[in-house]
Amino acid sequence: MDLPLPYKKIDPEVARKEGHKGYYEAACCYGTFSAIVGQLQKEVGAPYTGIPLGIMKYGEGGVVGWATLCGALNGAAAAINLVTPEEDWKKIIDELMGWYTMEKFPSEISNQYAEQGKFLVEKMKFDKVLPQNASHSPLCHVSVGEWCRASGFASGSSERSERCGRLTGDVAAQTAMLLNAWADKSFKASYKMSDKTVECRGCHETKTEFKAGGFTRGKMECAPCHGEDPHNAKKL
Amino acid sequence: MDLPLPYKKIDPEVARKEGHKGYYEAACCYGTFSAIVGQLQKEVGAPYTGIPLGIMKYGEGGVVGWATLCGALNGAAAAINLVTPEEDWKKIIDELMGWYTMEKFPSEISNQYAEQGKFLVEKMKFDKVLPQNASHSPLCHVSVGEWCRASGFASGSSERSERCGRLTGDVAAQTAMLLNAWADKSFKASYKMSDKTVECRGCHETKTEFKAGGFTRGKMECAPCHGEDPHNAKKL
């Protein structure tokens, strides 16, 4: 079957609530994927109805708890891949990944929804406003860890789980906004790498000269793992 | 649509060759996904034929080049999620992730296939034996970077790209082997975390006590990023 499939615009606030609900049903990766593709199954029908929403459940906790890629991003990226042509999904997913690293989660809106009982889940794990922070990474391990350190809540707490539920809604809503903008031909990428990472990548990128530093690849921020001065560090 | 879908055993060597070929067509994540699900489309037909193989293309280079989760793992995990029930895919994907971190890529078999012209791709980027190494990480950034350092080949080189092509075949073959064992009711997990990581996770796991160290989550090896003695390090 050829891609992309036909897209019909999704209300970002519907996506936010469905994403949060999906998190409660089967975690983060299923949450964003079902928020977008589930809506398209309802609004468009076939061929979306031939795709089992459960396919993305495995992404939970950065793939069965390994805490690699944030599951909310993984599920959203799969959805974007379905509905846009390759030259566009590359840009839209890149933008979503970059946005995620800079965004303070959970969003103000999600915190308000929780406090005002506007989410679709009846029995919330926690229904007060949660502290917000930006993780500067698309990795579950960093996203969860940095939020725990910023908030003082444990990784196994109900508050942390609810934080990831609201984040799942937020990523689903952002995905709907990006796809709607794309459908309107008004999508513009706005994420910019930090100056520091641009500087590192001046040498350390997917290049053909090993000795000039071309032995690495990726777009994640360098400093959070490698430190501010890795050339003088013992390791990495 | 309910999961799992019916599974029919796949020859691991067919999966290895199809995975390698898929890498040349649309990179690592599509490579493993199409090697497994493409075979099931041929052998089983519906409902697999309702799932567009292109859905997983986005995982290339750890999601559009961000170098997060290795795309070969991402595509393979999605396939495993389709064909096994939840209590089983959690164990099988966990095993695949763990195996990947310890395995020396590319495999001996893939190196032989390349040298003997047994892969399906007509115009190979490189057809000699490639150096092998284990990355101790499921992340593209680490997997590629460590292999480049071990081999001396640049990340933008044809040799590195071919290494990832063979790796894609190897992950597809391993996935077929794990699924076949599961179908035969002989699947057994054999991956064991390192003693060091088990020790770290004694406190630093998904726990409810923040002060006791419960502010992190994940199963990736700790030392490669955090060093051997993170309690006495300046950072992390």
Side-chain angles (χ1 to χ4, degrees):
Chain A
M1 189 190 309
D2 286 338
L3 294 181
L5 306 184
Y7 180 66
K8 195 169 172 185
K9 282 203 254 180
I10 294 169
D11 180 340
E13 297 316 314
V14 170
R16 198 182 311 272
K17 290 174 186 173
E18 291 289 337
H20 180 267
K21 181 171 150 236
Y23 176 84
Y24 272 77
E25 289 165 359
C28 47
C29 189
Y30 172 83
T32 50
F33 188 72
S34 66
I36 302 299
V37 180
Q39 283 306 110
L40 293 168
Q41 287 184 340
K42 282 185 205 163
E43 299 292 330
V44 180
Y48 288 106
T49 41
I51 300 166
L53 297 179
I55 186 177
M56 297 307 290
K57 284 188 184 178
Y58 73 92
E60 49 103 5
V63 180
V64 297
W66 273 70
T68 65
L69 172 63
C70 166
L73 284 171
N74 206 3
I80 295 168
N81 186 146
L82 277 180
V83 302
T84 58
E86 182 157 348
E87 64 272 23
D88 293 332
W89 59 247
K90 286 193 172 174
K91 291 177 203 161
I92 298 169
I93 295 170
D94 193 68
E95 174 69 9
L96 183 73
M97 298 277 281
W99 167 84
Y100 177 101
T101 66
M102 305 301 288
E103 187 71 2
K104 290 187 175 180
F105 292 112
S107 70
E108 298 274 354
I109 300 175
S110 274
N111 270 339
Q112 285 171 18
Y113 279 3
E115 215 184 11
Q116 296 164 7
K118 288 187 178 167
F119 275 128
L120 306 173
V121 172
E122 270 189 37
K123 199 170 178 180
M124 300 272 285
K125 290 179 181 179
F126 186 75
D127 62 7
K128 307 282 185 294
V129 167
L130 283 167
Q132 301 171 293
N133 90 312
S135 67
H136 301 279
S137 173
L139 300 180
C140 169
H141 179 69
V142 182
S143 181
V144 166
E146 291 297 307
W147 186 82
C148 289
R149 287 182 207 220
S151 70
F153 288 115
S155 51
S157 66
S158 300
E159 291 86 350
R160 197 282 304 159
S161 181
E162 173 59 30
R163 172 264 183 190
C164 288
R166 294 183 201 172
L167 176 153
T168 299
D170 292 335
V171 174
Q174 183 70 12
T175 302
M177 283 186 257
L178 293 173
L179 288 174
N180 293 349
W182 166 80
D184 284 339
K185 302 194 194 307
S186 65
F187 168 77
K188 267 191 192 172
S190 65
Y191 169 68
K192 281 201 179 7
M193 257 176 213
S194 72
D195 292 346
K196 177 79 186 160
T197 297
V198 170
E199 185 193 330
C200 296
R201 281 168 49 95
C203 300
H204 303 297
E205 213 189 324
T206 316
K207 295 190 170 179
T208 51
E209 289 293 317
F210 184 93
K211 284 187 183 165
F215 43 72
T216 183
R217 77 176 297 182
K219 300 181 195 170
M220 292 188 280
E221 286 293 302
C222 306
C225 290
H226 294 276
E228 292 294 328
D229 190 13
H231 287 186
N232 291 315
K234 279 186 200 167
K235 166 94 186 121
L236 294 173
Chain B
M1 189 190 308
D2 287 337
L3 294 181
L5 304 184
Y7 180 65
K8 195 168 172 185
K9 283 202 254 180
I10 295 168
D11 180 339
E13 296 316 314
V14 170
R16 197 182 313 270
K17 289 174 187 173
E18 290 290 335
H20 180 267
K21 182 172 148 234
Y23 175 84
Y24 271 77
E25 289 166 0
C28 47
C29 190
Y30 172 83
T32 50
F33 188 73
S34 66
I36 303 297
V37 180
Q39 282 307 108
L40 293 168
Q41 287 184 339
K42 282 185 206 164
E43 299 292 329
V44 181
Y48 288 106
T49 40
I51 301 165
L53 296 179
I55 185 178
M56 297 306 290
K57 285 188 183 178
Y58 74 91
E60 50 104 4
V63 179
V64 297
W66 274 70
T68 65
L69 172 63
C70 166
L73 285 171
N74 206 3
I80 295 167
N81 186 147
L82 277 179
V83 301
T84 57
E86 182 158 347
E87 65 272 23
D88 293 331
W89 58 247
K90 286 192 173 176
K91 291 176 203 161
I92 299 169
I93 295 171
D94 194 68
E95 174 69 9
L96 184 73
M97 298 277 281
W99 167 85
Y100 177 101
T101 66
M102 305 301 288
E103 188 70 4
K104 289 187 176 180
F105 293 112
S107 70
E108 298 276 352
I109 301 176
S110 273
N111 270 340
Q112 285 171 17
Y113 279 3
E115 216 183 11
Q116 296 165 5
K118 288 189 178 166
F119 275 127
L120 306 172
V121 172
E122 271 190 36
K123 199 170 178 181
M124 300 272 285
K125 291 178 181 179
F126 185 76
D127 61 7
K128 306 283 184 296
V129 167
L130 283 167
Q132 301 171 293
N133 89 313
S135 66
H136 301 279
S137 172
L139 300 180
C140 169
H141 179 69
V142 183
S143 181
V144 167
E146 291 296 309
W147 186 83
C148 288
R149 288 182 207 221
S151 69
F153 288 116
S155 51
S157 66
S158 300
E159 291 87 350
R160 198 281 305 159
S161 180
E162 174 58 29
R163 172 262 184 189
C164 288
R166 295 183 201 173
L167 177 152
T168 299
D170 293 334
V171 173
Q174 183 69 12
T175 301
M177 284 186 256
L178 293 173
L179 288 174
N180 293 348
W182 166 81
D184 284 339
K185 303 194 193 309
S186 65
F187 168 77
K188 268 190 193 172
S190 65
Y191 170 68
K192 282 202 178 9
M193 257 177 213
S194 72
D195 292 345
K196 178 77 187 163
T197 297
V198 170
E199 185 193 330
C200 296
R201 281 168 49 95
C203 300
H204 302 297
E205 213 189 323
T206 316
K207 295 190 170 179
T208 53
E209 290 292 317
F210 183 93
K211 284 187 183 167
F215 44 71
T216 183
R217 78 175 297 182
K219 300 181 196 171
M220 291 188 281
E221 286 293 301
C222 305
C225 290
H226 294 277
E228 291 294 329
D229 190 12
H231 286 187
N232 291 316
K234 279 187 199 167
K235 165 94 186 123
L236 293 174

